[in-house]
Amino acid sequence: MLKYLATRLALTIPTFLAVLTLVFFVVRVIPGDPATAALGDYASQEAVTALRERMGLNDPLYIQYFRFLADLARGDLGKSMITGKSISEMVRQVLPYTLELTLSAIFVGALLGVPLGIYTARNSNTTIDYIGRITSLAGLSVPAFYLGILIMLLFAIKLKLLPAVGGGDLNDFKSNITHLALPALTLGLIMTASVTRLTRSAMLNVLKEDYVRTARAKGLPERAVVFRHALRAALVPIVSIIGIWAANLIADSVLTETVFARPGLGKMLVGAIMQRDYTALQSVMVIYTGFVVVINLITDLVYSLVDPRITH
Amino acid sequence: MKRIIVLITLLVAVLIISACAQPTPKVVEKEVVVTQIVKETVIVEGTPQVVEKQVEVTKIVQEVVTATPVPKEPVVLRYADKAADLGTMDPHFAAATNDRNLVDMIFNALVRYKPGDGTQFEPDLAESIPVPEIVNGKQVWTFRLRHGIMCHPSDAVPSYELTADDVVFSLNKSATADTSAYAGEYSGMSVDKVDDYTVKVTMEQPISPVLFLPKVADYAGGFIICQKPYEAMGAEEFKTHPVGTGPFMFDSYSPQEKVVLKANDSYFRGRPLLDAVEYRFMPELNSRELGLRSGELDVINGAAEGQWVKRMNQEDGIRVDVYGVGEVATIHFNLTRPPLDDVRVRQAIAYALDRDEFLALFGAPVAANVYSQVPAQFLAGGLTKKEVDDLGLEYALNIDKAKQLLADAGYADGFSLEMVSSERESYLKNYQSMQAQLAKVGIKIKINTVDHSSMHKLIREDVNPIVIYVAWRPNADVYLTRFYHSDSIVVTGAKPDTNFSHYTGIDDLIEEARVELDPDKQIDLWKQAQIKLLTEMISYPLQYQNQVTARWDYVDYGHVLKSALALYPQITENTRIVK
């Protein structure tokens, strides 16, 4: 296992390098100039030229690239080209918001999706199954930002139960949880749709297996048949989809954070693109890449826990 | 399964109830002082006697069950802007609307535009607006500073009194390209300290007050920063930890979320009526609108659309303010691109366009037509509708005349043009409307939509045969210089800027007006310049687009809101929440 882990970790280095290189050059291919974006159209040309020099944008591209890699190797994400603030510090401030949103959404998605999938699988081709399938299909088709606005209208405007916007105070439980509820529900419901469909289909396959029939024939209670025998075998694809969704949710958080005006990596990414803040943009992409790599690794490791036949 | 569902439901319910519950009453230990009667034995003349004695001070501990005391809620105004994040709070680099809004609350200047009315000046840090003197051919403006103006305290430097040193330092910073985006505005100007409370500003070339006062007013480079904290923390740190003298001072900045400003208790015009201002970054209009309607926000930056204004005004308790200064949309023709080098073609385009059709896209009261390059509604030197009408330069819609002019120029069948537009509605709608209107006279336009920043870069690289530009400039000289002086021609000018037309015909009028001290003559020169621009149809003035903000009716800005150069309603020491 340790050898497997070491190999996987070693393989992340070329993955990271490829992504970093791609991000570095793609960011610079986007039309628009950070200095002009920062100073606005009223600024004098001398000021724009002076700022470009200070930002290091007049240096040859390869020098900027190696400087970026060298800083990163030292664990330094650099400073924002616009505010001059340390990007590590900015990330430290906003990352908890993205993490809590993603984890809560996974929690909601798995908590609702898996039981619904099992239930509809056990009651396949009944009215409830049809309703579940149509609802989950609708859930997959609704964009996160649209669902977010509908949820805001219902819970914040009509029912006035929860706040519509903002991230709340991380040090204040009530403020934090109330501000988290609606965005987590938005992302969680979208994930639920996907998890429900996959769980249903995995369970349908497993429930037809001989060993399930045997378990029933032995007289085992239905609950034991479903949860101990069938679900265990269906877990591998379910873990896969949850892993995939964990990575997707981080990307979906871009829209959700913007709609709910929550601080977070997604909103930081949007701001960096709008302001042409190359260093911030690169850093956020590095962190996103890191997340995807780690989530994939964890997913692979969990396989062997849920299915002992899988060994590394 | 059912049990699990019940358990989960219970868990969620408990979480919601606990989050929404009132503060839990607390048991506190309280020390109280009481008097007690105690009996004690004393010896009186050798005989023990029991006497009652009042013990005055006895401390006992009492347990009191009490609700958590509710502290007095600070009065906080929550404002949401369309920006995704802060740019800078160094006022000499603040260019984005959100940055301009913030620095307006933190800093002062020698003079200021009257809050809510961007057409009038009044003294700010200076005791009065001086009358300039001519000394050895140079123009000298002597400002006497108010006493007792305190710089905000900061981690770097405690609060201290602002003096002439700060003013000299600040204006010199504004004049330096490395430390200011507006350095170009300060060439030919020197600043000297006379004493701690007197500053002398000398202009190499005398100019009129209309042109001088904006340089020392609360807009762009005119803001005065405090020297000591700037030097102590450095330029980079100052961007996110600004120190000024304004009614509100910096408290905290949460990236992508908000900047919190708190009341400056020592503000020289008196303590603000608000305790704090939360300035939130919310790029999504729907989110701002929902935040306002749910009561989580007090004021929001709205949409520049008549329909939106109408809809929001119908909401109970919500008021929409539409006010200047209006950013002017103008169509600039590139004279280096055939067939636009032919005046008949440019005039044909002007006759084929209908201002009212453009206007309908934004709707009253958000936008209004303009008839000259300098908006007469806001600035001295603009031409009114009647004036251009009298001169026959209105270019009212006349398709037949447009077709005739095109035929005369040899383009009876029209021609094709390709150009880029910003994705922003204030640009794209105008480009698309122009495209539809010109198709009627056979001119085919292909629009390539790019993001806003890219558009700015590309049009400065001279890619467009026609540029629609939306901008506010503080006076007629800046409008005319930056859009029509030959030095400002994009790419090839001596100081490349925003002369997209490559026009060189009014340099003399601009320069003459700049040094004219008689306001009437100066205005006349500016008008002459614009008459020339209209006659040769160098650009077609379209409309101005006002600022739109929505607020709850309990928000009182403390001033009548007509126009604001800071591009927001202006939150001052007099702004209050009246619930």
Side-chain angles (χ1 to χ4, degrees), chain B residues 30-46:
Chain B
K30 191 179 174 186
E31 286 189 344
V32 292
V33 179
V34 295
T35 52
Q36 275 188 330
I37 307 295
V38 293
K39 288 179 180 176
E40 64 180 37
T41 304
V42 294
I43 309 293
V44 180
E45 294 172 356

Side-chain angles (χ1 to χ4, degrees), chain A residues 166-243:
Chain A
D169 181 357
L170 284 175
N171 300 317
D172 176 347
F173 178 72
K174 181 185 167 186
S175 160
N176 191 224
I177 200 88
T178 51
H179 282 89
L180 178 64
L182 297 186
L185 188 65
T186 304
L187 283 183
L189 284 179
I190 289 173
M191 180 179 164
T192 301
S194 190
V195 172
T196 304
R197 289 176 72 81
L198 194 116
T199 307
R200 178 184 174 277
S201 112
M203 284 297 287
L204 277 178
N205 285 336
V206 173
L207 287 171
K208 287 176 194 155
E209 292 288 334
D210 290 345
Y211 63 87
V212 173
R213 196 179 308 121
T214 308
R216 281 192 178 124
K218 273 165 47 184
L220 279 178
E222 186 63 12
R223 190 184 305 154
V225 173
V226 171
F227 289 101
R228 204 179 302 155
H229 293 266
L231 181 60
R232 184 89 192 257
L235 266 182
V236 171
I238 295 172
V239 168
S240 288
I241 195 77
I242 290 175

